Amino acid sequence: QVQLTESGGGLVQAGGSLRLSCAASGLAFRNYHIAWFRQAAGKEREFVGVSSRPGSGGREYYAESLKGRFTVSRDIAKQMVFLQMNSLKPEDTGIYYCASSTVALSGIRESAMYRVWGQGTQVTVSS
């Protein structure tokens, strides 16, 4: 059974940092892109960043608006993907999800291309 489990969310003041973790089990980790999405209350889920699978180049891709503040990294041995979030803003508040996919790189930012999702972790940034 494929399972993704997020952790590391919480309450932080604006300007602070958080590191989210996504632990994967039940899948051939190296064969999957692992992405982060987020959803604020009353808004649609949006792409945050992704660690592409090694076979597709192993690069990270980000939402343009988040480049420079957010960093995605992968630990293959631990089967984990991390999201380091710096200089957090109140508008970063939301539920953060990790998800897995084998989609072609052209679809890597599309939530519909991801089949397995974690339960999400809440991030709240206070002003």
Side-chain angles (χ1 to χ4, degrees):
Q1 180 183 357
V2 179
Q3 191 168 2
L4 300 174
T5 304
E6 304 94 338
S7 61
L11 174 64
V12 63
Q13 288 189 331
S17 298
L18 278 176
R19 187 191 193 211
L20 306 184
S21 300
C22 174
S25 62
L27 77 171
F29 187 67
R30 292 182 60 92
N31 293 343
Y32 288 81
H33 313 304
I34 306 293
W36 290 95
F37 292 82
R38 68 184 184 184
Q39 187 166 20
K43 295 188 177 181
E44 292 187 357
R45 192 171 296 184
E46 65 173 345
F47 172 75
V48 172
V50 60
S51 168
S52 66
R53 57 185 178 178
S56 296
R59 290 182 55 189
E60 291 75 39
Y61 300 88
Y62 299 94
E64 284 296 320
S65 62
L66 300 177
K67 277 184 179 179
R69 292 197 301 124
F70 287 19
T71 303
V72 178
S73 60
R74 178 190 293 240
D75 186 326
I76 293 176
K78 294 182 179 179
Q79 296 208 151
M80 297 185 73
V81 172
F82 305 98
L83 177 65
Q84 178 68 43
M85 305 185 293
N86 299 326
S87 302
L88 283 163
K89 306 174 181 179
E91 52 263 43
D92 294 318
T93 294
I95 302 174
Y96 284 68
Y97 300 90
C98 63
S100 65
S101 177
T102 58
V103 68
L105 288 178
S106 59
I108 207 168
R109 292 177 172 82
E110 303 298 327
S111 62
M113 298 293 107
Y114 289 78
R115 290 184 56 201
V116 178
W117 293 76
Q119 81 289 350
T121 186
Q122 176 71 45
V123 171
T124 303
V125 184
S126 63
S127 57

